[in-house]
Amino acid sequence: MTLTELRRRMLAEANERRAAASRRFFKTGPGEYGEGDRFIGLTLPQMRRLEREAGDFPMNNIVDLLRSPIHEERLLALLVLVRRFRKSDERTRSTIYRQYYRHRRFVNNWDLVDLSAPSIVGRYLERRKRDVLFRLARSKSLWDRRIAMITTQYFIRQNDFKDALAVAKMLLGDREDLIHKASGWMLREIGKRDFSAEEAFVRKHVRAMPRTMLRYAVEKWPPRMRREIMAV
């Protein structure tokens, strides 16, 4: 299958009703975080089937998909890159990471970030310097900052919390609700593995934490503790 044939296949399977629902769900209206994003209405099972067929595409085809204005094409590119990264040697992983980082402005909705950042950026940085996370956390781009926070999910799964806590601290004053949710989610993930580490962070920073971040972080706390900390 060629890239042109793949795109024809995607359009043939498109569904305008699902596309309209996706445009509402992913906030594509004027002034919203996904403003201008285009959907054609494909389901995730459809995308997974297409992923297998596009799995052997050369990198330039994958980059073409990633640069697309159509959300599902960018999603497909990331699905292929995540699978390829998992199965590749270090040289190919470095290539994938560089292409991802270079084109990260197209990873521009929360589902795209959450799918790809831990599996590509997190895995790549596992045994490398992680200064890039702190550059991303200081970026003016909402999606760069979300990549920085969500990437740390990979480290958290290895019981490595240092960078997640550091990035969460940097983002305490962020104005975007999607960042508050990401930070609170990662703190909650830490709490699943080391409750004392999460609790120490929350109690230290509770007065500076945005309400959404705090609510996400303490969602699984015992009810009495949750009520107490939310009251603060």
Side-chain angles (χ1 to χ4, degrees):
M1 178 182 287
T2 66
L3 180 57
T4 299
E5 291 169 340
L6 175 73
R7 283 175 158 151
R8 287 174 181 163
R9 168 101 170 260
M10 294 178 76
L11 288 174
E13 297 184 15
N15 182 295
E16 177 53 32
R17 180 177 292 182
R18 280 198 298 269
S22 293
R23 288 192 291 270
R24 291 191 297 272
F25 183 72
F26 288 102
K27 307 296 183 185
T28 63
E32 295 182 310
Y33 62 74
E35 181 176 357
D37 204 354
R38 292 167 53 187
F39 287 81
I40 59 176
L42 298 180
T43 65
L44 189 56
Q46 287 174 307
M47 299 298 296
R48 290 293 185 187
R49 288 196 297 274
L50 292 166
E51 172 200 353
R52 291 191 289 272
E53 297 187 29
D56 294 328
F57 275 8
M59 182 60 73
N60 65 307
N61 284 170
I62 303 303
V63 170
D64 281 346
L65 288 170
L66 186 57
R67 294 170 60 92
S68 171
I70 297 173
H71 188 99
E72 288 91 343
E73 289 194 6
R74 302 198 304 282
L75 174 60
L76 178 58
L78 293 169
L79 286 169
V80 171
L81 289 177
V82 166
R83 174 181 284 207
R84 190 172 295 180
F85 190 98
R86 187 171 62 246
K87 296 182 175 182
S88 295
D89 58 23
E90 283 303 309
R91 183 175 179 179
T92 303
R93 287 182 173 187
S94 293
T95 299
I96 292 170
Y97 170 79
R98 289 196 301 271
Q99 291 289 353
Y100 180 93
Y101 189 81
R102 187 178 303 157
H103 295 92
R104 69 187 187 279
R105 67 186 182 278
F106 300 104
V107 187
N108 58 355
N109 216 311
W110 59 263
D111 63 321
L112 305 179
V113 172
D114 297 0
L115 161 74
S116 60
S119 299
I120 295 177
V121 183
R123 259 191 167 179
Y124 182 77
L125 295 178
E126 183 178 10
R127 295 180 178 86
R128 293 176 170 87
K129 291 184 178 180
R130 301 174 187 175
D131 297 359
V132 64
L133 291 183
F134 304 103
R135 291 198 299 272
L136 292 172
R138 289 189 291 268
S139 171
K140 294 181 179 179
S141 165
L142 160 65
W143 306 116
D144 278 356
R145 301 196 305 276
R146 189 166 175 110
I147 287 171
M149 190 71 256
I150 298 298
T151 288
T152 67
Q153 185 180 50
Y154 184 83
F155 312 140
I156 292 168
R157 289 171 178 165
Q158 319 306 316
N159 293 314
D160 177 357
F161 311 136
K162 180 180 177 181
D163 293 304
L165 294 171
V167 173
K169 183 178 179 180
M170 289 178 66
L171 296 175
L172 283 171
D174 204 283
R175 296 182 178 183
E176 294 288 348
D177 195 58
L178 281 174
I179 300 300
H180 305 165
K181 291 176 178 177
S183 299
W185 174 21
M186 292 304 101
L187 289 171
R188 188 173 71 236
E189 290 299 305
I190 291 172
K192 290 178 182 178
R193 294 159 176 82
D194 185 342
F195 182 77
S196 63
E198 183 201 7
E199 183 185 14
F201 181 95
V202 170
R203 292 195 181 280
K204 182 176 181 179
H205 299 290
V206 60
R207 296 186 185 278
M209 291 176 72
R211 188 75 172 177
T212 299
M213 180 180 176
L214 179 60
R215 179 166 50 83
Y216 270 57
V218 304
E219 183 180 13
K220 302 299 183 181
W221 284 27
R224 184 175 178 179
M225 290 182 66
R226 188 169 65 246
R227 288 193 299 270
E228 172 213 334
I229 204 72
M230 292 298 293
V232 174

